[in-house]
Amino acid sequence: MITAYSGAELPQGDSPELVLAQATPKERTESIKLNSTEWKGPLDVDSYLAREDTLLQQRLTKKGLTCWILVDRREPEDARTIFSSCETYKKTAIVACGGKVEDASAHGVGSVYCRPEFRGKGYAKRMLQELSKKVDAWLAESDRRERPLFSILFSDIGKRFYAQFGWIPYSSSHFALPSISKEEYSSQVTMVTLPEVRELCAEDVQRCICSTDVVRKERELLRVASMHSPGSKVAITPDFNHFLWHWAREEFYSHKLYPDKDTPILKGAGNDDAKVYCAWNRNFGATPEENTLYILRWVYNEPTSPEETETTVKAMAAILRRAQLEAHEWNMANVEFWNPTSLLERAVALLDPSAEIVHREKSSIASLRWSGNPEENVEWLCNEKYAWC
Ligand SMILES: CC(C)(COP(=O)(O)OP(=O)(O)OC[C@H]1O[C@@H](n2cnc3c(N)ncnc32)[C@H](O)[C@@H]1OP(=O)(O)O)[C@@H](O)C(=O)NCCC(=O)NCCS
């Protein structure tokens, strides 16, 4: 462990000697070891390091992940004291304004961390101030198609901390439905008969959720929205690499925690008649109560008649029930999905009229920092779990 500084000599958070630097591979390992106490969950430290290395090899992150550390610029590389750390992930995005749609890039920020003995001294604040400057500079330096117009993060420490640096909280709600056993799944729960669902493997998800047709519809959604109100409309492109990244994570855990079980190959469910599909991943927490099957992304066509609405809602309800069963098979307490639309609210009401939407105040607060005009009112569409990092 790097221990150049002892407690008495620690610099002030606003010291001119502190700089934000890219971690060397050795320093990245060091920062992962430091934050393991917070995020390793059921893994031991070595497995947690192996998880991070596995994730780094994914297409989403291989070229686009940077580990940042706040250090004293006078210390030599590989021997620098890490005052605070975080990661940025490069993502592709769609941005529409005034009826014009363009491809852009964006950054995700994650793993913001300061070791317990250094906390409360302003290091994380300083790191985020420096990071904001970098993110804005990337916008100025990039060519048009590559412009990182915004960055996102998911705060686990409420809505205030990141807002002071420009990461403004956006809609952060969800439904959580309990897992159900095979017996419960086979029994009739609703007054209406629900349709059959099709189980989706990774290739199906690629076809049904990440196709060029889906992306085209999403661009159109943003374009139309941008004609009806001022300000940019943005979304993280639902490219397949996001899903592969989430699944690499779940597969790493499932191999470690359930070595006798087969790799989880079911990655979602759908209904072809209604053309409703979802992709999911299994999230293994520190305790079984924290195990959650997250619906990463829903895809469906906006219905144009009452009949179509009913068909869509019933398909959603059937898919949700299949997700509840899948959660049970993997010892997950709940199925969760973010920022439900009114159609999904109706689907949940079909399954459980007493289920209530949760508006999160503390954890996974979807936050967005716009690097363009600070006065602009930016709307984040398709704000679902797939974009989480
Ligand atoms: C959050 C964290 C990075 C802050 O690091 P730090 O260097 O102590 O932060 P700073 O000294 O720059 O700023 C302290 C501020 O952090 C905020 N903060 C820290 N922990 C918080 C928490 N659990 N809930 C809400 N705010 C919190 C407070 O707003 C505090 O402000 P105050 O000084 O006005 O009370 C650090 O506590 C940490 O690593 N926690 C564990 C990992 C974590 O939760 N990371 C955030 C993931 S989104």
Side-chain angles (χ1 to χ4, degrees):
M1 178 162 302
I2 300 165
T3 53
Y5 272 95
S6 72
E9 311 162 324
L10 289 175
Q12 300 288 318
D14 61 359
S15 163
E17 306 301 347
L18 292 182
V19 289
L20 187 63
Q22 284 194 28
T24 64
K26 188 174 166 207
E27 288 166 334
R28 174 181 165 269
T29 302
E30 184 64 25
S31 81
I32 296 169
K33 277 189 193 159
L34 284 171
N35 73 34
S36 67
T37 51
E38 195 70 32
W39 290 311
K40 70 179 168 45
L43 303 176
D44 59 34
V45 177
D46 285 341
S47 305
Y48 177 64
L49 274 166
R51 182 197 85 173
E52 291 302 293
D53 285 342
T54 302
L55 290 179
L56 186 62
Q57 294 313 313
Q58 303 307 307
R59 283 204 302 229
L60 182 72
T61 38
K62 208 169 190 164
K63 290 199 191 114
L65 187 147
T66 308
C67 174
W68 298 97
I69 49 177
L70 186 75
V71 292
D72 185 321
R73 62 176 168 178
R74 294 166 300 185
E75 291 193 300
E77 265 189 14
D78 278 342
R80 300 182 282 199
T81 308
I82 299 172
F83 293 103
S84 187
S85 57
C86 67
E87 291 173 338
T88 55
Y89 303 73
K90 220 169 159 198
K91 292 168 181 279
T92 54
I94 309 169
V95 176
C97 193
K100 210 171 139 263
V101 193
E102 60 177 325
D103 292 320
S105 72
H107 285 94
V109 181
S111 306
V112 172
Y113 185 78
C114 175
R115 66 179 92 176
E117 62 272 31
F118 285 4
R119 285 183 194 164
K121 299 180 192 309
Y123 296 142
K125 279 185 190 158
R126 176 66 184 279
M127 178 176 71
L128 292 164
Q129 279 161 0
E130 299 297 328
L131 186 66
S132 321
K133 286 187 222 157
K134 274 209 192 303
V135 169
D136 292 344
W138 290 334
L139 174 59
E141 289 158 9
S142 310
D143 68 34
R144 197 170 167 74
R145 213 183 135 83
E146 283 286 301
R147 287 192 310 163
L149 285 167
F150 65 97
S151 51
I152 58 169
L153 59 81
F154 296 86
S155 168
D156 285 333
I157 54 171
K159 298 183 174 180
R160 282 181 39 215
F161 182 66
Y162 293 102
Q164 59 190 305
F165 314 104
W167 279 280
I168 306 300
Y170 276 68
S171 180
S172 301
S173 63
H174 68 260
F175 272 112
L177 301 175
S179 61
I180 55 172
S181 65
K182 261 199 175 109
E183 294 69 39
E184 290 169 285
Y185 184 66
S186 315
S187 65
Q188 170 105 4
V189 279
T190 61
M191 301 297 286
V192 293
T193 309
L194 297 179
E196 294 284 309
V197 296
R198 176 158 74 94
E199 295 164 347
L200 306 181
C201 64
E203 292 74 29
D204 299 321
V205 168
Q206 185 167 24
R207 262 195 304 276
C208 302
I209 302 224
C210 310
S211 65
T212 47
D213 194 41
V214 169
V215 176
R216 189 184 52 74
K217 281 185 190 148
E218 189 159 315
R219 291 171 68 91
E220 184 59 10
L221 180 83
L222 266 70
R223 189 188 70 77
V224 171
S226 79
M227 284 174 22
H228 289 120
S229 61
S232 293
K233 317 293 164 200
V234 307
I236 298 294
T237 314
D239 64 58
F240 193 48
N241 291 347
H242 273 102
F243 297 85
L244 290 173
W245 182 85
H246 282 284
W247 296 333
R249 196 182 165 96
E250 76 169 3
E251 285 168 19
F252 184 89
Y253 277 97
S254 70
H255 291 152
K256 279 273 167 221
L257 304 177
Y258 299 97
D260 298 332
K261 233 168 141 50
D262 291 336
T263 301
I265 52 160
L266 291 189
K267 305 298 193 190
N271 176 278
D272 293 320
D273 295 331
K275 296 200 168 40
V276 179
Y277 304 97
C278 83
W280 61 50
N281 88 318
R282 301 151 189 82
N283 204 75
F284 297 90
T287 62
E289 297 75 52
E290 290 176 18
N291 289 350
T292 303
L293 186 135
Y294 281 104
I295 293 189
L296 299 172
R297 176 77 202 230
W298 287 96
V299 164
Y300 59 90
N301 293 331
E302 224 30 75
T304 53
S305 67
E307 295 73 32
E308 272 181 25
T309 302
E310 203 186 320
T311 307
T312 303
V313 167
K314 280 189 194 166
M316 287 170 168
I319 291 166
L320 277 171
R321 265 177 76 69
R322 182 62 189 83
Q324 288 175 282
L325 172 65
E326 190 64 16
H328 191 268
E329 312 251 295
W330 281 90
N331 200 22
M332 314 252 119
N334 288 308
V335 170
E336 201 175 298
F337 59 101
W338 286 5
N339 295 324
T341 59
S342 56
L343 290 172
L344 281 159
E345 287 191 40
R346 287 179 58 179
V348 170
L350 265 188
L351 298 177
D352 178 2
S354 68
E356 284 188 17
I357 192 163
V358 178
H359 294 277
R360 298 187 299 277
E361 290 299 323
K362 181 122 176 101
S363 65
S364 292
I365 305 297
S367 309
L368 186 146
R369 184 177 184 284
W370 183 244
S371 289
N373 175 4
E375 302 299 316
E376 194 170 338
N377 182 22
V378 178
E379 209 179 321
W380 180 355
L381 283 86
C382 307
N383 173 358
E384 291 182 70
K385 177 79 180 182
Y386 72 98
W388 179 89
C389 50

